[in-house]
């Protein structure tokens, strides 16, 4: 590891910043991981798009359809590919705590920078705070690597700002991907922003969160590579402008991306988020490919509609 357990919070504060992306996983037609295409994507994301960190084997990466060995292989491959050019955060989320801890130990051993653990699905929806406190305390006691919390409606509940503030006292909890309404993450920023890095996956809110909440980390989803090309790095550009205090210039650049956001939103079928994203990546010249079952592929009509919206959205390919 690049830091000690006791230095996890300070190290993250100093280095965990900028635009991080949730990596997809390209597959062969037979469903096996296409490592060569993944390598090509990672090289493009880091060297052409200037992405600062990669979130590995999360929901965008279809971790739910992977074996434990496949998830570990993605960890190893990503650390090898990224080297010192960017950082990695490995998704160790699982319903079985033994699996979470096994993945966390592997991430630490292979040289990952951080891990992220989604709040588990619980079979009760009220008074879960003590359960979640023990859950994250137990994981933190088994590894020294920095941990990012993750609260999302997928769990069936949202962790409250007050609970997250309590969890921020855990020595190795360094960040949170807080997929909640803005008033909740603003509250948490006020409560715990001195101890953990608060972030959310909404790209449309990222600029305001830099300028108004002094955030330093976009953690994270697919927009860093679906809204950008080597010749058109507007998310990177408005982020850098905002970090430099050039608010009006940053707002103008961000606003210019609205046709791209709209094109993605209006063509994305509710049941086919992954296949739509992968097809959009193919239109960008990246590796997309098939999804794994039980996820659904786009129909030819859906592909045509997406392609037409892509061609009209204004992203520059060259």
């Amino acid at each position: 590891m690049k830091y000690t357990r006791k230095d996890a919070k300070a190290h993250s504060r100093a280095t965990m910043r900028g635009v991080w992306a949730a990596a997809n996983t390209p597959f062969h037609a037979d469903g096996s991981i296409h490592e060569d295409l993944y390598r090509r994507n990672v090289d493009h994301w880091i060297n052409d798009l200037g992405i600062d960190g990669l979130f590995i084997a999360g929901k965008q990466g279809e971790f739910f359809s992977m074996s434990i060995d496949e998830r570990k292989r993605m960890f190893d491959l990503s650390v090898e590919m990224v080297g010192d050019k960017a950082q990695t955060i490995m998704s160790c989320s699982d319903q079985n705590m033994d699996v979470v801890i096994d993945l966390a130990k592997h991430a630490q051993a292979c040289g990952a920078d951080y891990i992220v653990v989604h709040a588990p699905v619980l079979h009760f929806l009220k008074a879960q705070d003590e359960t979640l406190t023990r859950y994250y305390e137990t994981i933190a006691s088994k590894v020294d690597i920095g941990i990012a919390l993750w609260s999302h409606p997928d769990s069936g509940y949202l962790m409250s700002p007050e609970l997250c503030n309590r969890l921020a006292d855990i020595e190795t909890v360094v960040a949170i991907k807080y997929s909640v309404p803005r008033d909740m993450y603003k509250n948490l920023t006020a409560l715990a922003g001195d101890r953990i890095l608060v972030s959310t996956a909404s790209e449309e809110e990222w600029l305001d969160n830099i300028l108004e909440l002094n955030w330093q980390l976009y953690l994270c989803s697919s927009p860093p590579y679906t809204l950008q090309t080597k010749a058109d790095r507007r998310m990177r550009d408005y982020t850098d402008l905002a970090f430099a205090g050039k608010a009006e210039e940053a707002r103008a650049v961000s606003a210019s991306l609205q046709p791209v956001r709209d094109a993605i939103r209006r063509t994305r079928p509710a049941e086919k988020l992954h296949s739509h994203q992968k097809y959009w990546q193919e239109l960008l010249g990246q590796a997309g490919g098939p999804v794994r079952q039980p996820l659904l592929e786009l129909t030819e009509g859906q592909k045509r509609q997406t392609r037409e919206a892509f061609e009209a959205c204004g992203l520059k390919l060259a």
Side-chain angles (χ1 to χ4, degrees), residues 23 55 57-64 91 118 150 152 154 274:
F55 184 117
K59 285 191 288 187
Q60 298 288 350
E62 300 175 60
F63 85 91
F64 43 78
S91 175
H118 199 291
W150 186 5
H152 188 282
D154 285 358
H274 291 78

Side-chain angles (χ1 to χ4, degrees), residues 52-115:
D52 298 297
L54 295 178
F55 184 117
I56 307 302
K59 285 191 288 187
Q60 298 288 350
E62 300 175 60
F63 85 91
F64 43 78
S65 68
M66 290 185 192
S67 69
I68 303 305
D69 285 344
E70 286 177 321
R71 294 173 71 180
K72 290 179 178 179
R73 175 57 185 159
M74 291 303 295
F75 292 3
D76 295 342
L77 186 61
S78 300
V79 169
E80 173 195 334
M81 277 293 299
V82 167
D84 294 328
K85 294 178 290 186
Q87 296 184 71
T88 56
I89 184 166
M90 307 308 189
S91 175
C92 299
S93 304
D94 199 87
Q95 281 301 104
N96 185 306
M97 185 183 280
D98 289 339
V99 171
V100 174
I101 293 168
D102 181 36
L103 289 169
K105 289 179 176 179
H106 188 89
Q108 179 171 299
C110 79
D113 292 284
Y114 305 99
I115 63 170

